[in-house]
Amino acid sequence: AYRLQPKSDWVSASLFDLQVRSGKWLDAQVTGDEQARLGLIGRDDNRRRKAVLALQQGMELARSGDPEEAAKRYKFAHEGAPEFMPAAVAWAGALIDQGKARRAADVVAKVWALMPHPDLVEPAMRAAGADDALGRVKAAERLAAANKDHPESLIMLAGAYLEAQLWGEARSRLTTLADGDGASQARVCRLWADLEEAEHNDTAAARDWLRRAALADADPAWVCDSCGNAVAAWSAICGNCGGFDSFHWRRPPYVTRLADTSANAGPVANLPVVVDRGRDVIVDND
């Protein structure tokens, strides 16, 4: 069908979808370039697609025992789409493996300045050779300096200070987070619990923070825009719906329950509610 109608939007889109679902990354790249040439997709969309496809090629090359070629794909993906976090993480890791720790630290710092992300923390620590708690503190402080007021910087610092038993510094960062929306995140509540127990051996306060964590906003995750599937590690293909490049870093939908506010409550009382992006959607028990 594609050979007969290469300019058909539906046919080319279907071919691209089949190629990525089959792991034919190079073929998909050729199809995407042709779509861009014909104006079926925008340049920015194709640039992002090529970065995702290059990253996937690199991951397969790494698994097959060819780290040098994998690194080339990672570099291409990162340079083609600097905002694409998984490519930045992979490229930094490849640089470290090549003994280019300083260059890897520069890559991580530049990305952190634009959009801090917890996946960047470990490459930063590896690049700094931080093999103890104080070393991790110093590395965290250097990285946080690139975007010192961002909640991710404060969370990273609080965790590093806790590990190094620098209670005052950890409490200071957590207190700063409490002035914004950070206090409502489950991971911040868990840090508070660790701090109260470690510094004061206050198990009651720690339990209280853990209860808050259970009710707090879910920690950010890679969430599929098509089906809402949330995963800890990014993937090019959603394992639930098969969507391509549909995972984005955000808070996943969470489930609450409608309260029965009257004796003659209607049929929607006590049904679970999925809340996503500020929208409440009533879901039947079945």
Side-chain angles (χ1 to χ4, degrees):
Y2 182 73
R3 285 195 295 269
L4 291 172
Q5 294 290 339
K7 296 182 179 180
S8 167
D9 188 1
W10 179 85
V11 171
S12 64
S14 298
L15 177 61
F16 180 85
D17 184 59
L18 288 169
Q19 288 168 334
V20 296
R21 291 188 186 215
S22 302
K24 297 183 179 298
W25 313 117
L26 283 173
D27 291 345
Q29 185 173 320
V30 172
T31 301
D33 287 342
E34 186 66 10
Q35 288 176 314
R37 188 185 70 80
L38 294 173
L40 301 178
I41 61 172
R43 289 178 178 266
D44 288 342
D45 289 339
N46 191 44
R47 175 182 60 85
R48 166 77 180 203
R49 276 186 177 183
K50 291 175 76 169
V52 175
L53 293 169
L55 176 58
Q56 285 298 125
Q57 292 170 41
M59 293 168 66
E60 288 195 354
L61 286 166
R63 285 193 293 267
S64 66
D66 193 348
E68 291 187 6
E69 285 300 318
K72 293 178 182 178
R73 302 298 194 280
Y74 297 154
K75 181 182 179 182
F76 177 87
H78 174 61
E79 292 180 346
E83 77 285 353
F84 182 34
M85 188 62 60
V89 172
W91 176 224
L95 287 170
I96 296 169
D97 293 338
Q98 294 172 355
K100 301 175 181 177
R102 182 174 296 181
R103 189 175 174 189
D106 289 341
V107 169
V108 172
K110 288 179 181 178
V111 177
W112 192 273
L114 295 174
M115 45 184 178
H117 191 283
D119 286 354
L120 291 168
V121 175
E122 196 54 35
M125 299 300 165
R126 288 184 59 207
D131 53 4
D132 58 25
L134 289 178
R136 292 178 71 85
V137 164
K138 292 178 181 178
E141 289 175 340
R142 285 195 297 269
L143 183 57
N147 204 330
K148 62 180 182 178
D149 295 325
H150 196 281
E152 288 294 342
S153 293
L154 297 172
I155 291 171
M156 173 183 62
L157 286 171
Y161 289 137
L162 267 170
E163 183 184 359
Q165 299 183 8
L166 299 174
W167 315 130
E169 296 288 354
R171 188 174 295 274
S172 173
R173 300 316 186 276
L174 291 176
T175 300
T176 302
L177 280 166
D179 295 333
D181 65 351
S184 64
Q185 293 190 38
R187 55 182 172 158
V188 175
C189 294
R190 290 194 295 270
L191 286 172
W192 272 111
D194 292 342
L195 176 61
E196 295 295 355
E197 184 168 5
E199 182 182 13
H200 300 303
N201 197 27
D202 191 341
T203 56
R207 283 197 300 269
D208 181 59
W209 277 110
L210 290 176
R211 282 194 293 269
R212 296 189 196 188
L215 299 173
D217 293 335
D219 293 337
W222 293 105
V223 181
C224 176
D225 288 340
S226 299
C227 68
N229 182 33
V231 296
W234 177 89
S235 174
I237 305 295
C238 176
N240 186 55
C241 70
F244 172 73
D245 190 25
S246 59
F247 283 112
H248 292 86
W249 186 257
R250 62 183 177 91
R251 291 180 184 173
Y254 62 93
V255 177
T256 184
R257 186 168 292 278
L258 291 175
D260 186 351
T261 57
S262 69
N264 297 315
V268 299
N270 295 320
L271 289 182
V273 176
V274 176
V275 183
D276 187 9
R277 296 179 178 175
R279 298 172 296 179
D280 292 359
V281 182
I282 298 173
V283 181
D284 189 274
N285 281 323
D286 294 334

